[in-house]
Amino acid sequence: MGTMLQSEEIVITPFEHQVGGHKVVLQISKNLICKPREDSEVEFYRRLPDHLKECVPRFKGEIQVQYVENDSGFQLRTKLPMNLQQDFQNESDMQMDNHCINVKSKLSARDIIQLEHSSSDSLTRTSEANIKSCKTCHTSDWSNQCLKRTMQQYALWSTSCSHQFIVLENLLAGYNNPCILDIKLGRKQRAFDCTEAKRQLLESRCANSTSASLGFRICGMQLFQKHTGEYISQNKYIGRALDDEGAQLNLKQYFHDGITERKKEMLSIVEKLKHIHTAMSEQTVFSFLSVSLLLIYDSSADCKIDARLIDFANAVVTDDSSLDEKHKECNVDLLFGLSSIISIIQGFLS
């Protein structure tokens, strides 16, 4: 959470409720988060049609995030533009100690278990949808891993003291015990201007997961359990290893808080997803080579829910002459995945 320093500079930290993605998401304040800037994602928000604005997080602008070392570790700092300073200053929880991140202690989260997909372990993969496959977690585990990956694999701050980020609304503001499901949509995923090796990797990842059959795969989950008062989590590697039955069981598990099945939340999220499906069916501005869906509900509040599309680094304008028909087919695959999720949840209700 952001902490005010001199000259309206603040310290920001990894977003504790990040459950998916590769690069780190940072929390500025209760209402604001930020993520590394991608030109294509900024272009998406700038050209966003009005009827899609309710389907995605609100774009708030851009900032520079600075890496500063000290004796205790390092800090990530930024200066907010004038239009965002008021948001920060109005927050009741802004008075905090300056937080230093220690690479050795803070980033030593549990090792990621990479589960390989093969046709011979279908029953094993299905059983991993069981709640026993999830691990009790500190909600910052994945975000800390993403920070380490962002700094090492993607080399942010390696050659410069600052890096550009985009600022978005925090969809979890006001949630006490948020339950989160991160889902990659589409039967195929492509990255803009990717190498041949990356293209083959993405195609293999989709072909050997529920992306090909169901039009989606689960990339991360955080679930608050009322009977224990703790969170359990599941990373993207387990999601990749699930077969169709396992993915459906996993989706059903998401709507169970350890005591009751959340039927009201199912109904509300279905309505949200139908709205997103309609809005995406009508838009003609973008081709989504890859996009994710975030489902949210509050375990401590009845029917406090949300569903938004996120991550638009691979959203490209449809009038781009470099796009081929395979790229344009991605929108059809996205809608197929949404329809599949809607149908599965409706099956739980019936």
Side-chain angles (χ1 to χ4, degrees), residues 268-314:
S268 297
I269 280 181
V270 163
E271 292 307 308
K272 284 267 189 181
L273 294 180
K274 287 180 178 178
H275 174 74
I276 292 174
H277 189 284
T278 299
M280 294 300 289
S281 299
E282 294 173 351
Q283 77 86 26
T284 58
V285 179
F286 301 102
S287 179
F288 294 90
L289 311 185
S290 175
V291 71
S292 294
L293 173 70
L294 202 66
L295 304 184
I296 310 165
Y297 72 86
D298 195 335
S299 181
S300 63
D302 285 341
C303 218
K304 187 172 183 179
I305 66 101
D306 205 349
R308 307 280 187 102
L309 297 175
I310 59 171
D311 297 337
F312 304 105
N314 291 302

Side-chain angles (χ1 to χ4, degrees), residues 171-210:
L171 296 176
L172 301 181
Y175 284 71
N176 293 318
N177 294 305
C179 298
I180 308 162
L181 195 64
D182 188 313
I183 300 173
K184 182 73 75 176
L185 291 175
R187 284 177 282 201
K188 297 178 181 178
Q189 280 92 45
R190 297 172 176 84
F192 188 61
D193 289 339
C194 69
T195 64
E196 178 63 19
K198 180 65 178 292
R199 183 190 66 78
Q200 292 181 7
L201 174 64
L202 293 174
E203 288 185 356
S204 174
R205 192 171 289 167
C206 290
N208 294 315
S209 69
T210 58

Side-chain angles (χ1 to χ4, degrees), residues 61 69 105 143 210 227 325 347:
E69 288 188 351
S105 63
S143 61
T210 58
H227 63 297
E325 289 305 313

